[in-house]
Amino acid sequence: MTATLPTTEVRVCALVELVPERGSVALVGGEQVAIVRTHDDSVHAVANRDPYSGAQVIARGLVGTRGDAPTVTSPMYKQVWDLRSGACLEAAGEEPVPLRTWSVRVVDGDVLVST
Amino acid sequence: MTVMPQDTAPTAPQQLVVVGGGMVARRLIDALRARDEAGAWAVTLLAEEPRAPYDRVALTSYFTGREPEDLALGGQELWDDPLVTLRRGVRAERIDRDARTVTTSTGQVLDYDALVLATGSYAAVPPVPGKDLRGAFVYRTIDDVADLREFVERRREELDRPVRGAVVGGGLLGLEAAGALRALEVDATVVEFAPRLMPLQVDDGGGAALKRLIEGLGVSVRTSTATAKIVGDRGAVSRMKFSEGPSLDVDVVVFAVGVRPRDELARDAGLEVGERGGVVVDDACATADPAIWAIGEVACIGGRCLGLVAPGYTMAEIVADRLLGGAGTFPGADLSTKLKLLGVDVASFGDAFAEEPGSLEVVISDPVAGVYKKLVMSDDAKTLRGGILVGDASAYSSLRPMVGRELGGDPAAHLLPEGSAPAPAGDLPDDAAVCSCNNVTAGEIRCAVGEGGCTDLAGVKACTLAGTSCGSCLPLVKKLVTTELEAAGVEVSRALCEHFELSRAELFDVVRVQGLTTFSEIVERHGSGRGCDICRPVVGSILASLGTGHILDGERATLQDTNDFVMANLQKDGSYSVVPRIPGGEVTPEGLIAIGEVARDFGLYTKITGGQRVDLFGARIDQLPAIWRRLVDAGFESGHAYGKSLRTVKSCVGSTWCRFGVQDSVGLAIDLELRYRGLRSPHKIKLGVSGCARECAEARGKDVGVIATDNGWNVYVGGNGGFTPRHARLLAEDLDTETLVRTIDRFLMYYIRTADRLQRTAPWVEEHEGGLDAIRAVVLDDSLGIAEDLDAAMAAHVGRYEDEWAATLADPDKLARFAPFVNAPEAVDDSLAYVGERGQARPATPDERSSGSVLIAGTTLEVRS
Ligand code: SRM
Ligand SMILES: Cc1cc2nc3c(=O)[nH]c(=O)nc-3n(C[C@H](O)[C@H](O)[C@H](O)COP(=O)(O)OP(=O)(O)OC[C@H]3O[C@@H](n4cnc5c(N)ncnc54)[C@H](O)[C@@H]3O)c2cc1C
Ligand code: SF4
Ligand code: FES
């Protein structure tokens, strides 16, 4: 099968509504998505559900960097993920579990997330 | 025949009876249980004192606020071991060598296959008339020092004037006892028969320097003086007469003239004793009876008894080894000593008196600074033979292991003040003994780091025991560990994280001195990248401690972990808890009703906390502002349950109601809580105030504990509950309220500026260079000249305090951040689910969620505004 699945983009907010280096939550297709604007104004979208606690809290984590990777840390048990790929960079003693990611574009000041 | 484990069937352990529950006995049993994997020996320890073996070397710390439990040696696990039986308060009365039994003071007869005598020494009392009067003490056991303290405190009340005391004996022990009397605020005189203090350890030059230093501490010194008589008044000590010179009025006398081995059991059993007492043993610690051994101070080994713990530990190790079939022998004793008396450093090591022929002495003497230092060198001035250090013994830990080795360079260079002396740690040979108390060599420490995989000082201490007794070797142990880790490529920097090379204390200083106010500025100038969950909250906390404005202003909002960001505490399901401040635990009925109404209207689980206030759990992030609004309107403010900041000042009811209270503890607690509320710090801070010595507020479990006295307040610091409980230790006594507050101000500010990230006050005090004494000097005597600065910083904090909840409610931009979804501000987070339990809500478990048995919906109740 080579058919590509249809993707749609939804506008979640304006870029200026996002506080740099602090997450927000958007409802996308009924799911909670953590939207993070980093210091360089790129925007990333990862699952808001923390796989370790099951709570919807990733957007409330601290944003920073690890080497070149932009990161978010779960406020619950402090695991760290790469915001670009969703890869778990620090599992805090647990098995690494990645976060689902969504692709994001900023067009004319609007933040668009692909579903 | 020597008793060996293989002599009997391996299933039935042989019986080892150890007499004397002292330091050396503990080491023997520790060593035996660690090595006797097959369980060849079952051990019974007969301890005459009513407690498990404790750290006698640290006895004097009892006077600086430590409790008997704090002196415990090693862990309780040993006594829980099924092969070990500890009989406290039981004395061995008689040995029957033919029947191989020991009869105890409780009339029991114990069989033994092997018997170890570890009965230590008696404190000697010279035969002077009056030695048995009330008020005459020795200084050997916890009970001795407890009796001494009680007597002094009672006498002070009876006499209603300062108590006067004398110590007979100016040796190591006598000076410790004098220090203890000073700590009890007794005017003390040390009476020494010899022409100088510490005659066994220091020479005349050192003795003279020492005398000046001791007198500087307010202790009078009389050398070349023999005590002739103690005169009593109504059965209690009242005056001392000497063979010459004027007599001395005293209320208490402590004898510290030496020790006498407790060898009576052995004598009665017909075992050989030494000329000056002590059970005669060979270099395997064995007596002439193959089933009986003697170790520690009671053993007469190589013709003498040794009054230090290190050789005793060595003997314990040898006997443990021999009981398991080994062949260890006593290598000879290192009689080096270092006095740990408040403020005065004295150390003597190796051939301190240059007894070996052809020795050279290198002496530095500075009477003004109160320093006397001498090194004894071989005749070519290359090899170190020994030395004496008075007034500054910082070189002790690095010089002592060099005895018998080439020092390198000019010997005098090693006597320069700390910092300017070359550090020999790096090239210390592997077989050099670094910790003499526990017989640990440089090689063993290196090995613990290398093969043992220890990555810090604490690990090395636990694994090798180095530094766990008198502690005098710690600087050197630390240096070795650091050098070794660095050599192994392990970074031992105090860097905060990958973004900052600086430690928290250093970062605090640069931010303060350069007046930086934003994270971007700070990380650009002093760090790299954009920070992480470690350095961001640290910078956030530093900026808050320095008073740069609301924690959510501008970029500072991005530094706060979720608790500080939403000013509530994250719970396991992603909801939050809310804790209004209830200063001192005092609350009006109306206040309680208001809190109850908020909890009811928002469907919050309600619980009384361990901090004397009420916690409301299960609030959604978007409900927080509405909850605060109601609480603020009812007169409450944020309780900072979320912050690394002041939590609570716990209080007992105190003199307002309690029939025993001597001061208004609630009033003081409220004042303190209002003073320090919102003060951001490296970790949370808790205070407690008790209205009398009954201590119902458990103040000594707090970072700062205040206990009322008839004359004012005693203040204790460095208490902790949590994972490593610690009792707070006395910082100052009988302060008036103003002095008390200033003292706490400075203590807290000094902590805030210099502690590590997430370091509570207890470990901070413990790890502070010079410990509590040094902190006391900073806080009370302004030894660093920063007191004014600390006072000003606290005054600024008090002046700028504002309630973070109220300030947030007043700022629409901040409130916008509490919206649950950027693209659906009205939607409610439906991921939260609750079930009822004991009449309230709690988060549903995953099973309950999947089975659909959730009884209560999320807290979506309509609320009246
Ligand atoms: C609510 C409360 C338990 C209760 O129901 O009574 C509580 C709850 C928590 N404590 Fe505690 N502690 C509470 C009193 C205590 C006490 C008792 C006291 O203060 O008298 C102690 C021991 C005293 C001490 O601190 O030395 C205590 C020692 C700790 C520790 C260990 C700290 C340590 O130094 O080892 C932690 C962990 C930490 O802070 O790193 C901790 C951490 C926590 C956290 C913050 C865990 C977390 O990260 O979620 C809990 C927050 C729950 C919440 O949402 O409020 N809690 N905690 C108490 C709140 C008191 C208050 O009114 O503010
Ligand atoms: C204040 C003070 C400071 C000191 N400072 C230092 C120092 O800095 N460095 C250093 O190396 N040393 C120091 N010492 C000396 C050190 O404490 C001793 O060398 C060490 O405790 C000896 O250990 P031990 O087990 O042989 O004897 P102890 O610790 O004296 O233990 C013997 C135990 O046996 C019990 N006992 C005796 N007879 C019986 C019996 N028949 N039945 C049952 N139990 C019995 C006694 O009650 C006692 O508890 C200090 C001593 C004191 C008092
Ligand atoms: S003791 Fe543990 S479980 Fe209980 S409140 Fe404190 S941190 Fe939570
Ligand atoms: S030398 Fe005493 S603890 Fe190491």
Side-chain angles (χ1 to χ4, degrees):
Chain A
M1 285 265 288
T2 52
T4 46
L5 291 166
T7 59
T8 45
E9 280 187 333
V10 297
R11 175 191 183 277
V12 294
C13 60
L15 181 65
V16 293
E17 290 178 66
L18 298 175
V19 179
E21 302 188 302
R22 202 75 249 184
S24 303
V25 191
L27 281 174
V28 178
E31 252 188 277
Q32 295 196 17
V33 178
I35 313 282
V36 180
R37 171 177 170 188
T38 50
H39 188 60
D40 59 2
D41 283 342
S42 9
V43 181
H44 304 275
V46 296
N48 191 37
R49 183 174 180 279
D50 169 15
Y52 297 97
S53 63
Q56 297 280 356
V57 294
I58 295 300
R60 304 181 207 156
L62 282 162
V63 176
T65 56
R66 207 175 239 232
D68 295 331
T71 57
V72 65
T73 304
S74 168
M76 199 64 85
Y77 302 122
K78 309 292 179 206
Q79 285 83 7
V80 179
W81 289 271
D82 186 332
L83 282 167
R84 301 167 305 189
S85 62
C88 180
L89 302 180
E90 165 65 69
E94 305 286 326
E95 284 298 306
V97 181
L99 292 180
R100 181 181 162 190
T101 57
W102 283 258
S103 54
V104 188
R105 291 196 305 145
V106 181
V107 178
D108 294 338
D110 285 331
V111 179
L112 309 177
V113 175
S114 305
T115 62
Chain B
M1 180 202 73
T2 319
V3 188
M4 295 222 184
Q6 45 267 54
D7 287 358
T8 52
T11 41
Q14 301 196 81
Q15 297 301 319
L16 169 67
V17 174
V18 181
V19 183
M23 303 182 69
V24 172
R26 162 94 205 199
R27 170 56 69 88
L28 167 68
I29 301 172
D30 268 331
L32 185 65
R33 289 307 301 132
R35 281 182 239 158
D36 179 15
E37 280 158 19
W41 291 95
V43 190
T44 303
L45 174 61
L46 300 178
E48 174 196 54
E49 291 187 64
R51 44 182 67 85
Y54 56 87
D55 188 357
R56 199 177 303 290
V57 171
L59 197 60
T60 301
S61 66
Y62 180 76
F63 294 100
T64 52
R66 283 177 71 180
E67 299 293 332
E69 312 87 76
D70 297 336
L71 294 179
L73 274 179
Q76 169 66 27
E77 308 85 68
L78 184 65
W79 312 120
D80 297 336
D81 184 330
L83 282 178
V84 177
T85 310
L86 166 63
R87 307 283 310 277
R88 295 166 220 244
V90 176
R91 198 174 50 247
E93 299 270 1
R94 201 172 59 251
I95 302 169
D96 182 338
R97 287 170 53 195
D98 295 329
R100 290 201 176 169
T101 59
V102 176
T103 308
T104 70
S105 50
T106 53
Q108 231 190 352
V109 180
L110 300 174
D111 292 323
Y112 67 81
D113 297 299
L115 175 69
V116 177
L117 299 173
T119 46
S121 307
Y122 288 110
V125 179
V128 292
K131 66 180 171 40
D132 296 320
L133 287 166
R134 257 187 308 119
F137 291 88
V138 293
Y139 199 83
R140 178 79 194 173
T141 66
I142 288 189
D143 288 338
D144 291 337
V145 296
D147 290 349
L148 171 63
R149 177 156 88 183
E150 199 199 300
F151 178 84
V152 166
E153 279 164 4
R154 205 183 50 233
R155 272 314 254 167
R156 180 165 26 239
E157 275 189 21
E158 284 168 7
L159 299 169
D160 203 24
R161 59 157 171 78
V163 176
R164 297 176 291 225
V167 175
V168 182
L172 195 71
L173 194 60
L175 294 184
E176 280 216 35
L181 288 182
R182 285 304 300 145
L184 291 172
E185 291 174 14
V186 172
D187 296 334
T189 303
V190 172
V191 180
E192 169 57 51
F193 180 68
R196 61 169 183 271
L197 293 172
M198 290 184 69
L200 298 182
Q201 286 88 9
V202 307
D203 58 8
D204 285 336
L210 187 55
K211 179 163 184 267
R212 277 192 299 274
L213 287 167
I214 300 284
E215 284 171 341
L217 290 178
V219 174
S220 312
V221 177
R222 283 201 191 184
T223 47
S224 303
T225 302
T227 306
K229 181 176 183 187
I230 301 171
V231 185
D233 176 18
R234 276 160 286 176
V237 167
S238 78
R239 173 176 309 177
M240 283 172 88
K241 288 195 168 163
F242 306 103
S243 41
E244 52 194 272
S247 60
L248 185 69
D249 287 333
V250 286
D251 310 306
V252 58
V253 174
V254 180
F255 291 110
V257 294
V259 295
R260 205 157 47 72
R262 290 191 65 170
D263 54 14
E264 61 273 13
L265 279 174
R267 269 178 210 274
D268 294 347
L271 288 168
E272 189 190 349
V273 294
E275 207 176 300
R276 299 166 74 181
V279 184
V280 172
V281 292
D282 61 15
D283 66 359
C285 300
T287 67
D289 182 331
I292 305 183
W293 316 75
I295 57 177
E297 280 192 355
V298 76
C300 175
I301 193 163
R304 62 199 274 200
C305 292
L306 302 165
L308 291 173
V309 73
Y313 280 173
T314 307
M315 294 184 232
E317 297 281 348
I318 290 168
V319 171
D321 180 57
R322 294 256 167 185
L323 287 171
L324 296 173
T329 53
F330 191 69
D334 174 5
L335 297 182
S336 303
T337 37
K338 184 174 173 209
L339 184 69
K340 47 204 174 308
L341 184 70
L342 176 70
V344 181
D345 267 352
V346 190
S348 115
F349 54 95
D351 182 14
F353 292 97
E355 281 161 1
E356 204 174 322
S359 295
L360 283 176
E361 294 185 12
V362 182
V363 178
I364 290 187
S365 170
D366 179 350
V368 181
V371 175
Y372 173 89
K373 301 179 186 182
K374 179 174 93 174
L375 290 188
V376 179
M377 306 294 296
S378 59
D379 51 8
D380 58 1
K382 282 193 176 145
T383 305
L384 179 67
R385 288 184 176 165
I388 294 171
L389 306 169
V390 176
D392 168 18
S394 52
Y396 174 71
S397 74
S398 51
L399 285 174
R400 190 195 54 200
M402 297 306 288
V403 170
R405 301 171 198 279
E406 289 203 5
L407 208 44
D410 176 4
H414 295 267
L415 296 179
L416 297 175
E418 203 178 11
S420 42
D427 39 303
L428 203 59
D430 271 349
D431 62 344
V434 170
C435 172
S436 66
C437 288
N438 297 290
N439 225 331
V440 186
T441 61
E444 284 165 308
I445 290 170
R446 293 194 177 112
C447 183
V449 176
E451 286 149 44
C454 300
T455 52
D456 57 10
L457 183 61
V460 171
K461 280 171 75 179
C463 154
T464 63
L465 296 182
T468 54
S469 303
C470 74
S472 69
C473 60
L474 274 178
L476 184 59
V477 177
K478 189 168 172 189
K479 208 176 283 174
L480 279 167
V481 171
T482 313
T483 316
E484 209 52 26
L485 285 172
E486 274 166 357
V490 181
E491 211 175 323
V492 273
S493 72
R494 317 227 309 142
L496 210 47
C497 62
E498 72 168 70
H499 306 102
F500 286 96
E501 291 289 323
L502 305 176
S503 69
R504 181 191 172 279
E506 290 162 343
L507 194 57
F508 195 106
D509 273 346
V510 298
V511 173
R512 181 171 64 92
V513 172
Q514 301 181 350
L516 306 178
T517 56
T518 69
F519 179 75
S520 289
E521 261 179 314
I522 295 169
V523 79
E524 273 153 30
R525 287 175 67 169
H526 300 288
S528 63
R530 287 301 299 170
C532 62
D533 57 302
I534 293 176
C535 59
R536 281 184 173 256
V538 167
V539 171
S541 159
I542 291 174
L543 291 175
S545 296
L546 289 170
T548 51
H550 195 285
I551 57 166
L552 299 188
D553 276 347
E555 205 194 32
R556 280 195 288 282
T558 70
L559 305 179
Q560 316 301 341
D561 209 342
T562 186
N563 283 7
D564 284 279
F565 186 66
V566 305
M567 294 169 285
N569 290 52
L570 178 67
Q571 302 301 314
K572 60 197 281 186
D573 63 345
S575 69
Y576 289 85
S577 78
V578 177
V579 186
R581 178 172 308 293
I582 300 187
E586 186 182 81
V587 60
T588 60
E590 284 70 28
L592 273 179
I593 289 166
I595 292 175
E597 284 177 347
V598 171
R600 184 192 58 208
D601 294 349
F602 288 85
L604 303 175
Y605 166 87
T606 308
K607 183 182 178 298
I608 306 290
T609 71
Q612 297 191 327
R613 46 195 190 168
V614 186
D615 203 343
L616 312 173
F617 294 81
R620 286 193 328 264
I621 193 167
D622 51 294
Q623 290 178 310
L624 291 171
I627 293 172
W628 298 337
R629 173 89 273 152
R630 290 273 301 277
L631 289 170
V632 168
D633 287 347
F636 289 99
E637 62 177 14
S638 163
H640 290 100
Y642 46 84
K644 299 288 177 250
S645 61
L646 177 81
R647 291 290 166 86
T648 60
V649 183
K650 182 172 175 171
S651 166
C652 72
V653 65
S655 61
T656 28
W657 287 90
C658 175
R659 62 203 159 120
F660 295 118
V662 293
Q663 308 279 353
D664 177 11
S665 53
V666 182
L668 180 71
I670 293 173
D671 288 348
L672 293 176
E673 185 153 347
L674 297 182
R675 185 169 181 83
Y676 303 126
R677 62 186 165 179
L679 179 64
R680 288 295 203 284
S681 45
H683 206 311
K684 56 194 176 191
I685 357 185
K686 300 176 178 185
L687 278 65
V689 184
S690 278
C692 84
R694 286 169 192 76
E695 244 284 73
C696 298
E698 299 172 306
R700 289 194 60 199
K702 304 297 178 199
D703 297 282
V704 177
V706 180
I707 302 177
T709 68
D710 290 330
N711 309 317
W713 309 98
N714 287 353
V715 58
Y716 297 80
V717 294
N720 204 173
F723 188 68
T724 315
R726 284 275 174 277
H727 268 144
R729 289 159 61 198
L730 185 65
L731 182 69
E733 278 178 296
D734 288 332
L735 303 180
D736 58 50
T737 306
E738 192 188 330
T739 315
L740 171 79
V741 171
R742 191 176 59 233
T743 304
I744 303 176
D745 281 359
R746 290 181 185 173
F747 175 79
L748 291 179
M749 264 304 160
Y750 186 44
Y751 161 68
I752 287 170
R753 290 199 173 174
T754 60
D756 274 342
R757 149 184 185 269
L758 296 187
Q759 186 179 42
R760 291 287 295 266
T761 57
W764 174 69
V765 170
E766 230 157 77
E767 279 163 34
H768 189 287
E769 180 116 35
L772 185 59
D773 291 335
I775 292 174
R776 183 183 293 113
V778 173
V779 169
L780 294 176
D781 309 326
D782 195 13
S783 62
L784 294 182
I786 56 170
E788 243 176 81
D789 198 22
L790 299 178
D791 292 346
M794 190 61 86
H797 162 76
V798 174
R800 69 173 170 253
Y801 171 81
E802 61 169 357
D803 173 23
E804 286 166 359
W805 287 352
T808 306
L809 290 170
D811 182 341
D813 281 349
K814 291 188 182 113
L815 285 177
R817 297 177 193 158
F818 292 82
F821 303 106
V822 269
N823 58 346
E826 303 304 320
V828 164
D829 181 355
D830 59 6
S831 69
L832 303 171
Y834 296 87
V835 293
E837 190 171 84
R838 296 187 294 274
Q840 299 200 68
R842 68 151 169 82
T845 64
D847 281 353
E848 287 163 340
R849 283 166 178 269
S850 54
S851 72
S853 67
V854 177
L855 301 180
I856 307 179
T859 51
T860 53
L861 320 176
E862 269 317 304
V863 291
R864 40 172 222 251
S865 52

